[in-house]
Amino acid sequence: MSGPRFQPVADPKAHVPSVGRTIPHDSAVGHVTGAAAYIADVPRRSDELVVGFVPSPLASGAIRSIDLAAARSVPGVVDLVTADDLPAAKVWGPIIQDEPILAASEVLYVGQPVVVIAAETQAALEEARRLVTLDIVPAEPILSIERAIELGRFIGTPRRIARGDASAAIAAAPHRLAGVFHSLGQEHLYLEAQAALAYPGECGQIVVHSSTQGPTETQHVVADVLGLGMHEVVCICKRMGGGFGGKETQGVLPAVMAALVAHRTGRAARIVYVREDDMASTGKRHAYRCAWEVGFDDAGRILGYRVDFHSAGGAAADLSTSIMERSMLHVDNAYWLPHVEIHGRVCRTNIAPATAFRGFGGPQGMAVTENVIQEITTHLRGLGKGVSAVDVQRLNLYGVGERNVTPYGQTIRGNHVPEIVDTLRATCDFDHRLATIEAANTRDSLVLRGLALMPVKFGISFTAKFLNQGNALVNVYTDGTVQVSTGGTEMGQGLNTKIKQLVADEFGLPPAQVVLMPTSTEKNCNTSPTAASAGTDLNGAAAVQACREIKARIAAWVAPRFAGDGLGPAAEHVGFAGGWVFDTRRPETRIPFGELCNGARRERVDLGARAFYATPIAGFDAEQGRGEPFFYYTQGAAAAEVRIDRFTGDLVVTRIDLLIDIGRSINPGVDRGQVIGGFVQGMGWVTGECLVYDERGRLLSDSPTTYKIPAASDVPADFRCDFFPADDNVENVARSKAVGEPPLMHAICVWSAVKHALGCVSPAAARRLCLPATNEEILRALRGPAGPADDGGGWGHSAEMRSWDRAR
């Protein structure tokens, strides 16, 4: 037998833990060389079929007939499937089962799958797709939030969170403002489009490889549609080429289509959406209409606040009700609101069902309040009060030990936001820069500048308590190497790399001795989607627990072998470091980890373990609007400086200063990438990314040529990103904090900076600004009164605002 591949270090004391160090992403080389395989890269089987679908050309209408005769005659076409051919379930939904697998009697949005086609070649599939005839009687689509409200078309029940008496506090306040704020949706534009590969197993079983954040949900829906038990379906995800929430539920339909063909034909089947189909048929971030009213004092202290949210949920529920819930839970952002009333309702519209997107409703909730902060500042300055927006923000922040209970009743522990804001304000020289910019805006007729700061407090956990669970399987082999399987999915965010580091440190090994296996529902069952920024928290904690179970078995077995020289056997003194297992009382008595594992196996010591972790939270009662939904909060602040061309509206973000508390970073390099990447994606949402539909509900911005995401050249040349030193998140794995979603919300400060710039020349222009602040929107705001209020569909947007001053 050959010797071990990995040799221990000379001295266990020389071992350097990997947690806290930057090690390369486990697929970094594969990503840049093309060796990392995605679903489209899996070698084609000889019996494999190409799968696609016929989308609805209309946003609303009754299906009179579907003519498949011409399509069936195309050489190479193997199968055509309509709703009538589905073996079992015909609708699905992660919360409310209201979304058709295939359109049956009516179509609900442009791009909705109507017919599934399976063919030998892509050319045959495309020809058949052109020849399918859909006879649809058009109906008037609902394409705006306002129209849905008018018709009473809603999804789910109305929700309310309240504290105190907001109406009375607003009425009694020295100053009052009210308005309507609009934020539009956002396209995920992940690099890898929706994709799935399915093939039949033995005895009617189905194996599905899916680009999904939720393998269990995919397994469940495939089983339901095919009339199988979940034990007869295996869903596997090696990696995704990006997800951002767009594959939490939206990967289900392509997986079902591929599985359906495999089940019917007994052959392998693969579907990979082309980009235009992906963008037309899949859900986006929700557009919101937010009616707000606020009362405040002369200093800008908020006394009463009321917000009514309406979101454009699309044609089916998807995750819209939970997303609305998180918007309501984050409208406070980092601010103490003594009297507050928050209402939320999801509107049913004839667009693709809106879905999860990084931040999951949190950005929409925070954006309206940051808009209100800016409006309060503008109003007070118009009255001659010498305040800045950051003064108003600082005055309203949650306190430490007081004024620290959220509207839903959760006490904020470890609140670092005031310190973070003060630190960032000083280190980025905010006040001096603000004065300089405002003075320059009065003189420069060509360029307009703006500066804004924003604090962030983002709750970490699924708000649905049952989802806060994870499990992991750890297998240690006789050469001292380790395989780890979890329910978490890797979409480029570095989850696998972090878990590798956690496991390596538990056994005192170099990370190279640990490998993360593809996520599979046969190894990790009933798992939660990789979402809510909780992937490492849940799966990492479970993996660490499994490691400790194995270590306890090893320690109990090896302790007697370390006894001697008056030292009795004591499992608690067995240590793991540098590739050695040793007695911590006498470190020179040690055994190489691989050699020990080989011996342990011969003595029938179990070297594998499956562990389960449940986040210790009380949960949230949605009916009462009360509870403790979050395990902790990721906190931070960012400041943005922008430059605007007064004649073209061209916007450039010139500088960013960002300070974020992510606890003890497991991998600083990976985390820094997440912070900067998340911020830039958020910057895209608040500036250049604008979904445009025509009057029939057809998406016009359906490709990277018509939908503008930030390019590398849009990243601010001066980007200063630092981690706030905090070590008090003692209950979470490795004392870390989640880093996936929070950075995106920090980017709202870019929008606030645009609003500040406009306010320097025209408060009315600033009031007209809505989100995103595209070049066109900036010009509309600058040049005069806006048109009709935005209907949530993306045909231009505007704001309404009114104010009162209480007589004294």
Side-chain angles (χ1 to χ4, degrees), residues 530-706:
T530 303
S533 300
T536 301
D537 291 8
L538 296 176
N539 299 286
V544 166
Q545 187 171 316
C547 293
R548 290 176 181 174
E549 291 181 18
I550 297 170
K551 287 165 63 181
R553 295 185 205 133
I554 292 175
W557 170 71
V558 79
R561 289 155 178 77
F562 288 149
D565 295 334
L567 298 178
E572 66 269 21
H573 289 295
V574 174
F576 298 76
W580 298 97
V581 181
F582 52 91
D583 190 313
T584 58
R585 299 166 298 180
R586 192 173 54 194
E588 66 274 11
T589 304
R590 60 184 188 257
I591 304 172
F593 183 73
E595 181 181 318
L596 184 77
C597 292
N598 189 42
R601 186 250 182 176
R602 291 179 178 276
E603 292 295 326
R604 298 186 296 179
V605 176
D606 185 2
L607 297 179
R610 180 189 183 275
F612 178 83
Y613 173 79
T615 309
I617 55 173
F620 177 68
D621 185 331
E623 296 300 320
Q624 299 297 319
R626 303 285 293 177
E628 296 188 3
F630 303 120
F631 190 27
Y632 61 87
Y633 297 93
T634 293
Q635 307 159 74
E641 183 175 334
V642 302
R643 184 179 71 242
I644 298 169
D645 186 305
R646 295 194 188 210
F647 295 96
T648 66
D650 184 54
L651 169 67
V652 177
V653 183
T654 56
R655 175 174 168 181
I656 296 296
D657 294 84
L658 193 153
L659 182 62
I660 187 169
D661 166 23
I662 57 170
R664 286 187 184 178
S665 175
I666 295 174
N667 187 314
V670 166
D671 286 345
R672 184 177 177 83
Q674 283 291 287
V675 170
I676 295 174
F679 185 96
V680 172
Q681 188 173 50
M683 191 177 76
W685 174 56
V686 304
T687 59
E689 297 186 39
C690 188
L691 295 164
V692 180
Y693 296 81
D694 67 16
E695 67 281 357
R696 297 173 297 170
R698 183 169 64 94
L699 182 67
L700 300 179
S701 51
D702 64 351
S703 77
T705 62
T706 53

Side-chain angles (χ1 to χ4, degrees), residues 163 302 332 334-338 396-399 403-406:
R163 173 171 58 198
I302 295 174
D332 62 327
Y335 307 117
W336 161 252
L337 304 172
N396 286 288
L397 288 179
Y398 279 113
R403 292 165 32 103
N404 64 338
V405 180
T406 66

Side-chain angles (χ1 to χ4, degrees), residues 81 85-87 102 116 225-226 255-265:
V81 187
D85 302 314
L86 297 175
L102 296 172
V116 176
V225 173
L226 300 186
V256 166
M257 292 182 206
L260 183 64
V261 169
H263 185 67
R264 285 168 58 90
T265 65

